[in-house]
Every structure is written in structure tokens, then in C-alpha cells.
């Protein structure tokens, strides 16, 4: 199973030891395996290209759509519980959120730059919440966010538990996912499962999942991100139209379905 090729496609976002290890891992995988499962069709195509470019055996590829079903709790519409979470994290107005570990590949820096662009365009802005654990190669970014008085209580960094995260999803305007690259994203279908529209990076693995349900922005263009965020913030009728389409037509893949598909492929192969 190869989940993604981010250490070879966006190596600048990984530690040096990861890049070294991953090359060994890939070389041995293609030399020793009979078939390879991948995190989605995009990852499979990346894998076939990698094998060809590196003169490795081209093994049969099987794309896997990973499960994304969530267990929705029934008591989370409680007003007091919601207010408690908002008070804990200083949320005092409408907000958008980015969910995922805070690491270089997730590209929170472009969202920070986009928010600075937004502040030039308008005064009335939503809060932006980064939900996730700090990862690697983000120390400098986190220090800048901490020191920048312009965004105080405008960009909020938190690590909510599962219950808090569900409350935050349910009450958000929409989500943003600025990753430079992915395998099979888990946070994008999670957002769609909550009926929440997303603006995501215009990259193949996210387009494979999001299709026409979401909108896309260049992961290296802060102004484009700012313009799209402001558009959906100001045009709530368009946002509602997107959310309604998600609610009526989006179908998530359960982990049980994922497991059955993998089992079926294994059975067919052997």
C-alpha cells in the first residue's frame, strides 16, 4: 500500500530523513510486490510514473477510495455546549476553518497571506480557525502568527477534541484546504460529510475527491484565495446553493465499503 507520493512530489515539505527513507521504501515496494494498492487514482498515476521514471518494475495498480463516514453525535446542537466551545476558543463571529495537522505541506502559510490580503479588501471578515496539531517545518510560521498583532483573534490555532471539532464543523461557514499535494485526503470528504462547502487547492488529488462539489484556488496564489473566500462570505446565497448540492448529491464512502472493495480486489488478484 502506497498512500501518496508527497515526499517525491513536494520534497521541500518533508524532513531529509523521510525523503531518504521513502526512496528506499518505493524501490523495494516495486521490486518485491505483485500488486500495489494506492490512495486513490491520482496516487496510482503518480506511482506508475515514478516506477517508469526510475526504471522500476511496473506492478499492477489498484486505487483505493478510503472511508470517510463520520459518527454524528445527536446532542451537539445544544446551545450551551456550543457557547462553551466558542468561549473556550474565543470565537465571537462567523468563521471558516482549516482542518489538519499544521505542517509545511498543508500550506497554512498561504491562508495566512490570504487573510492579510483580505484585510486590505474589507473590514467585515470571518475568523479563520486552524484546527490541528503542530507538525514539522512550521516553527517559523507559528512564531509569525503569534507575533502578528494584525491577526490577533482573527486567525485562531486550536487542537480541539472530536466533540469540539464536530461542533465547529456544524457551525462553520465553510472550510478551506490549501495543501500543496495529498494522497487520498481524509479532511475534504469529512467536510463534505458535514454538508460543508470547501475551497481547496487546485491539485489533482483534491479534484479527484471534490469534483464539482467544491471550488479551487492556486495553492501558491494568496490573492486568489482571498478573493474566493471573500466571494463566498459575501454571497451566502451561492454558498447555500453549494451546500444544498452537497447535501442532496454527495455520497461518502464508508470504511466498511472500503474494506470490502479491498477484499474483493485481493480475491480477484489471487
Amino acid at each position: 500500500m502506497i498512500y501518496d507520493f508527497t515526499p517525491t512530489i513536494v520534497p521541500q515539505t518533508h524532513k531529509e530523513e523521510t525523503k531518504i527513507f521513502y526512496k528506499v521504501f518505493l524501490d523495494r515496494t516495486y521490486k518485491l510486490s505483485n500488486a500495489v494498492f494506492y490512495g486513490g487514482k491520482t496516487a496510482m498515476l503518480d506511482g506508475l510514473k515514478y516506477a517508469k521514471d526510475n526504471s522500476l518494475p511496473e506492478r499492477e495498480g489498484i486505487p483505493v477510495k478510503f472511508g470517510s463516514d463520520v459518527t454524528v453525535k445527536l446532542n451537539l446542537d445544544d446551545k450551551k455546549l456550543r457557547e462553551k466551545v466558542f468561549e473556550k476558543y474565543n470565537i465571537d463571529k462567523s468563521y471558516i476553518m482549516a482542518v489538519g495537522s499544521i505542517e509545511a505541506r498543508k500550506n497554512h502559510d498561504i491562508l495566512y497571506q490570504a487573510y492579510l490580503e483580505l484585510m486590505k479588501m474589507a473590514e467585515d471578515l470571518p475568523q479563520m480557525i486552524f484546527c490541528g496539531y503542530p507538525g514539522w517545518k512550521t516553527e517559523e510560521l507559528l512564531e509569525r502568527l503569534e507575533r502578528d498583532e494584525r491577526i490577533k483573534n482573527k486567525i485562531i490555532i486550536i487542537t480541539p477534541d472530536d466533540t469540539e471539532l464536530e461542533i465547529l464543523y456544524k457551525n462553520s461557514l465553510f472550510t478551506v484546504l490549501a495543501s500543496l499535494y495529498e494522497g487520498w485526503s481524509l479532511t475534504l470528504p469529512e467536510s463534505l460529510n458535514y454538508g460543508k462547502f470547501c475551497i481547496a487547492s487546485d491539485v489533482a488529488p483534491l479534484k479527484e475527491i471534490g469534483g464539482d462539489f467544491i471550488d479551487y484556488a492556486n495553492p501558491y496564489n494568496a490573492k486568489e484565495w482571498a478573493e474566493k473566500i471573500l466571494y463566498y462570505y459575501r454571497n451566502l446565497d451561492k454558498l447555500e446553493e453549494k451546500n444544498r448540492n452537497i447535501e442532496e448529491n454527495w455520497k461518502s464512502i464508508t470504511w466498511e465499503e472500503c474494506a470490502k472493495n479491498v477484499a474483493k480486489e485481493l480475491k480477484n488478484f489471487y
Side-chain angles (χ1 to χ4, degrees), residues 2-14 18-19 22-23 26 38 41-50 53-54 105 179-183 203-205 219-220:
I2 301 177
Y3 194 84
D4 63 50
F5 286 80
T6 59
T8 65
I9 293 174
V10 283
Q12 71 276 16
T13 66
H14 286 273
T18 301
K19 291 184 281 184
Y22 217 68
K23 185 180 185 307
L26 292 175
Y38 294 94
K41 185 176 180 180
T42 301
M44 183 184 74
L45 295 175
D46 292 339
L48 296 175
K49 182 178 185 303
Y50 181 89
D53 290 349
N54 290 274
R105 181 172 59 82
S179 296
L180 295 176
Y181 210 73
E182 290 278 354
V203 293
Y220 299 97

Side-chain angles (χ1 to χ4, degrees), residues 146-209:
E146 180 67 27
R147 292 195 308 265
D148 194 340
E149 288 294 323
R150 296 172 295 177
I151 58 164
K152 188 173 183 180
N153 205 41
K154 292 182 172 67
I155 296 180
I156 302 170
I157 303 172
I158 62 176
T159 53
D161 61 30
D162 289 346
T163 298
E164 292 171 339
L165 182 61
E166 185 168 330
I167 291 172
L168 292 170
Y169 263 124
K170 286 185 174 182
N171 291 280
S172 65
L173 284 172
F174 55 90
T175 65
V176 286
L177 179 58
S179 296
L180 295 176
Y181 210 73
E182 290 278 354
W184 184 266
S185 169
L186 295 177
T187 53
L188 176 51
E190 184 174 75
S191 177
L192 295 172
N193 284 348
Y194 282 111
K196 294 297 178 178
F197 170 72
C198 179
I199 303 173
S201 286
D202 189 3
V203 293
L206 294 179
K207 294 178 81 170
E208 179 183 353
I209 297 172

